Amino acid sequence: MQRLISTAVLVLALLGLARVASAQGLEIDIVNGRDAAIPIAIVPFAWEAAAMPDPTAIDQVVRADLNRSGQFRALAKEDVIELPSRGADIRFPTWQLLKQDYIVVGRIQSADVGYRVEFELHEVRSGKPLLALALPVRPGDFRAVSHQIADLVYEKIIGVRGAFFTRIAYITAKRKGEGKYEYAIWVADSDGYNEQRIVWNDEPFLSPAWSPDGKSLAYVSFERQGGHTIYLHELATGSRRVITSFKGINGAPTFSPDGGTLALTLSRSGNPEIYTLNLLNNNLTQLTRHFAIDTEAAWMPGGNSLIFTSDRSGKPQIYSMPVSGGTPERVTSVGDYNARASVSYDGRLMAMVQGNRNVYRIAVVDRERGGTNAVRLISPGPLDESPSFAPNASMVLYAAREGNRGVLYSAPIDGSIRARLAIPDGDVREPAWGPFRQR
């Protein structure tokens, strides 16, 4: 019961953070490799505009994005021995000798408003051009356009829309004095840059959850007297409103696929149960009724059913039930502890925390395969939690402990690499990967 991710337990975990969080971009550190990754060269983009060059190196951002996907092995910048900026300038035998499958070249030019980034993707073996596009960019937006280029390259080669031009949310704790902290919710690019502090307080925050349109966050706050409160926060305006503030637990909010309903955990009846709340008419519906702890709901695609964590079998496991009501059915059968599930956009994959002998790791389950072969552990532990899928289900973002500080990792669903996203000298927890952004 101690590790069941109820809201109260999460508070204790968050209060245990003891390092100082700084408002800096997250660090990316590739700690593993993948032999089968696709070799690709990203040549530094030529600056052909009249103004002073922007400090953002597009090639570095694209290289880092593709590397952390686990699908690519981008040639190190120091090994890029020629600098073509157009397809006509590429000497393909050079890149064949370097054993590259693909090459990306590009240049930045002046435009009527801001700049224009032109880039090309070529197959090295045949010399065939695969992609040639020009993207407008305003000053200050070069990292954003770099992520878009990485998305387009990823999609062209892999056949799946890239998820680098997305955002993440997370919580930090900053020491203010003996036993005192400042807690904050941040939103940043998927690689941790361009971070923005959304809300902060001397009392903890928990469970940030994105709306499907990416315009709002729901989260739990302890800033009001009386205990937990769930807020809905509009990111563009900063306005927010109270969703629930019942006596006891108000926790673990999550949006339905259409954004019109929240699933949440409430103890208003005396025991933590799963409820749904219609955001248009405030109709509240209780779904579970059990003496056990039911919490951490996640919506299945289509919005007709939910999965959630419950200890009704004696230890935390994942259960499912229709939102129309019915008897919950146990989903997980492998492992003594399974909790805090996240579901891929198509419902085929489920990421969760799996525990064994006080070691907690992130597991990805292929729900179509079944059996023990359907479960793949993608993190080493010993205290990993809060998995959240990228919107294309190619990677999972999760929280971990390293010594006495909290860090974030992203990993592809096969666990072939891990990319560390950590705030220097600080703690970061409870990540949530946002939806696709408009291109």
Side-chain angles (χ1 to χ4, degrees):
M1 288 294 297
Q2 186 178 0
R3 280 282 303 172
L4 181 61
I5 315 290
S6 66
T7 304
V9 174
L10 281 174
V11 172
L12 293 176
L14 191 58
L15 288 173
L17 301 180
R19 300 286 290 180
V20 178
S22 61
Q24 301 180 37
L26 305 184
E27 302 167 339
I28 296 177
D29 180 16
I30 304 297
V31 298
N32 250 328
R34 183 173 183 261
D35 292 338
I38 299 169
I40 186 170
I42 315 296
V43 179
F45 283 32
W47 186 271
E48 299 178 353
M52 288 291 293
D54 188 274
T56 301
I58 293 176
D59 65 298
Q60 292 182 12
V61 178
V62 174
R63 187 178 298 112
D65 281 348
L66 296 179
N67 276 338
R68 65 191 170 95
S69 76
Q71 297 280 2
F72 293 90
R73 184 174 64 254
L75 188 66
K77 183 177 180 180
E78 58 267 25
D79 294 329
V80 176
I81 59 177
E82 295 180 356
L83 299 175
S85 61
R86 290 167 173 78
D89 301 331
I90 300 173
R91 298 196 299 181
F92 290 100
T94 298
W95 305 99
Q96 291 171 2
L97 288 173
L98 291 172
K99 298 181 179 180
Q100 300 302 296
D101 289 354
Y102 299 93
I103 182 171
V104 176
V105 298
R107 55 267 173 201
I108 301 100
Q109 299 178 335
S110 299
D112 292 339
V113 179
Y115 304 93
R116 181 177 65 255
V117 177
E118 300 177 352
F119 75 98
E120 303 170 41
L121 169 67
H122 292 259
E123 185 182 55
V124 170
R125 184 181 60 180
S126 65
K128 178 182 177 181
L130 302 180
L131 195 62
L133 289 172
L135 301 176
V137 57
R138 294 178 179 273
D141 289 340
F142 277 84
R143 291 197 68 87
V145 80
S146 301
H147 292 313
Q148 293 178 64
I149 291 171
D151 280 347
L152 292 165
V153 170
Y154 183 97
E155 183 173 5
K156 188 64 179 180
I157 297 173
I158 304 300
V160 176
R161 182 176 177 180
F164 307 115
F165 184 54
T166 53
R167 294 182 293 176
I168 61 174
Y170 54 90
I171 294 172
T172 61
K174 179 180 180 180
R175 184 188 290 273
K176 295 179 61 178
E178 185 64 31
K180 295 182 179 180
Y181 296 87
E182 178 185 83
Y183 300 90
I185 298 178
W186 298 77
V187 167
D189 293 348
S190 68
D191 61 355
Y193 285 84
N194 293 329
E195 68 278 9
Q196 297 179 339
R197 190 170 63 164
I198 301 304
V199 62
W200 57 97
N201 199 272
D202 291 344
E203 300 296 331
F205 297 102
L206 298 171
S207 306
W210 289 89
S211 62
D213 61 7
K215 295 181 179 180
S216 301
L217 286 176
Y219 54 82
V220 179
S221 173
F222 284 71
E223 63 197 87
R224 289 165 60 99
Q225 291 185 349
H228 315 179
T229 301
I230 295 178
Y231 283 91
L232 183 62
H233 192 125
E234 293 184 7
L235 297 178
T237 65
S239 66
R240 60 180 189 155
R241 62 186 176 96
V242 173
I243 298 299
T244 64
S245 58
F246 297 108
K247 182 179 179 180
I249 292 173
N250 297 261
T254 180
F255 285 90
S256 62
D258 65 4
T261 304
L262 278 180
L264 58 163
T265 299
L266 302 175
S267 63
R268 62 195 298 261
S269 63
N271 203 59
E273 306 282 4
I274 303 297
Y275 289 75
T276 59
L277 176 68
N278 187 304
L279 293 174
L280 294 178
N281 57 26
N282 290 323
N283 283 346
L284 188 66
T285 303
Q286 183 175 346
L287 296 185
T288 63
R289 289 175 171 82
H290 200 275
F291 59 82
I293 295 176
D294 297 332
T295 186
E296 300 169 355
W299 293 85
M300 297 300 293
N304 295 320
S305 62
L306 291 164
I307 61 173
F308 61 94
T309 304
S310 176
D311 65 347
R312 61 184 62 205
S313 64
K315 294 182 179 180
Q317 295 291 340
I318 307 299
Y319 290 78
S320 69
M321 70 177 300
V323 294
S324 58
T327 302
E329 297 182 358
R330 183 167 165 173
V331 173
T332 49
S333 58
V334 178
D336 292 335
Y337 177 102
N338 295 289
R340 193 120 189 200
S342 175
V343 182
S344 63
Y345 71 94
D346 56 3
R348 183 175 69 87
L349 302 175
M350 180 174 68
M352 62 187 182
V353 180
Q354 188 170 90
N356 182 34
R357 296 180 180 178
N358 292 322
V359 175
Y360 299 91
R361 304 170 67 183
I362 305 302
V364 173
V365 181
D366 188 330
R367 303 181 68 243
E368 293 181 354
R369 294 182 63 180
T372 57
N373 291 333
V375 181
R376 180 188 294 270
L377 293 169
I378 66 169
S379 76
L383 191 58
D384 303 334
E385 61 182 17
S386 305
S388 179
F389 273 109
N392 65 357
S394 65
M395 293 182 284
V396 175
L397 184 68
Y398 65 92
R401 297 295 294 179
E402 290 189 346
N404 57 357
R405 76 167 181 167
V407 299
L408 299 185
Y409 277 94
S410 67
I413 58 174
D414 64 0
S416 57
I417 71 164
R418 291 184 296 130
R420 183 190 294 111
L421 294 78
I423 293 180
D425 301 320
D427 283 287
V428 56
R429 307 295 289 173
E430 298 211 57
W433 207 318
F436 285 120
R437 299 167 74 176
Q438 186 176 0
R439 300 198 210 202

